[in-house]
Amino acid sequence: MDYDSANIAVDPRTVGEIAATLIADANEVAEARNRIAKTLSGSIFWAGLSHDESEDMTARWVKTGIELFGSSPEPEEPAAKKPEYGAEAEEIGVLSAMAGGLTGAAAGYSQTETAIALLFTQMHAGIQPESRPPGEPEPPSTTPLPGDPSLTDQTDPALTAIGEDW
């Protein structure tokens, strides 16, 4: 397998827009579902076995809705109210979890792009020649040339351009 042939192209803005659309669509469906539930909750009364079946169906309907959309405090309750210790906390539904994952991925890709751009900017700045005022002579080189007396062992391959290749 050639691992160098992989190419991942992600546009963080598009991923973020998809996450926002998913959240908006999920909220719209959840609101419609709640309107249906409120309409049906007070209009039909069941008795006997039909009542038990209706209660069971309603419980499954609510459970499925919570799994899909999550649970949240009723509109009358303050949004900042936290559940008491041991109380059941707000559940996050599948659609909310997916939207949160997409939002996190968009943020991660965006941060990665920003970091890469910064690295290339720093690299570019690091390889640019130092600017000198016009007419100022170039500073002397600090690298000794072959034959310089500071090079004690002229035959050492590490200090010369001569290589040992037997």
Side-chain angles (χ1 to χ4, degrees):
M1 174 174 259
D2 183 9
Y3 292 102
D4 293 334
S5 67
N7 183 13
I8 299 174
V10 177
D11 180 12
R13 182 176 298 146
T14 302
V15 174
E17 289 171 359
I18 290 170
T21 301
L22 178 61
I23 291 170
D25 290 347
N27 286 337
E28 187 177 324
V29 172
E31 288 171 8
R33 181 187 156 276
N34 288 338
R35 283 193 305 273
I36 292 169
K38 286 179 182 178
T39 301
L40 293 177
S41 67
S43 61
I44 301 176
F45 297 99
W46 301 95
L49 184 58
S50 296
H51 174 73
D52 295 339
E53 290 176 356
S54 171
E55 291 292 321
D56 181 52
M57 195 276 312
T58 301
R60 287 185 287 148
W61 170 267
V62 169
K63 181 179 182 275
T64 302
I66 289 172
E67 289 173 349
L68 188 59
F69 301 105
S71 65
S72 62
E74 292 297 320
E76 300 88 44
E77 295 182 30
K81 181 180 175 187
K82 294 184 179 180
E84 295 178 19
Y85 180 75
E88 202 169 305
E90 178 180 336
E91 292 185 37
I92 296 177
V94 171
L95 295 178
S96 297
M98 287 174 44
L102 286 172
T103 301
Y109 284 120
S110 181
Q111 290 172 353
T112 301
E113 281 188 353
T114 302
I116 289 172
L118 178 63
L119 288 172
F120 275 107
T121 301
Q122 291 171 344
M123 182 183 74
H124 180 263
I127 60 176
Q128 292 300 310
E130 294 182 27
S131 60
R132 296 187 310 272
E136 184 176 314
E138 188 171 323
S141 173
T142 58
T143 306
L145 297 173
D148 189 307
S150 66
L151 298 174
T152 55
D153 184 5
Q154 298 293 323
T155 60
D156 184 4
L159 301 175
T160 66
I162 300 171
E164 294 181 11
D165 192 11
W166 309 52

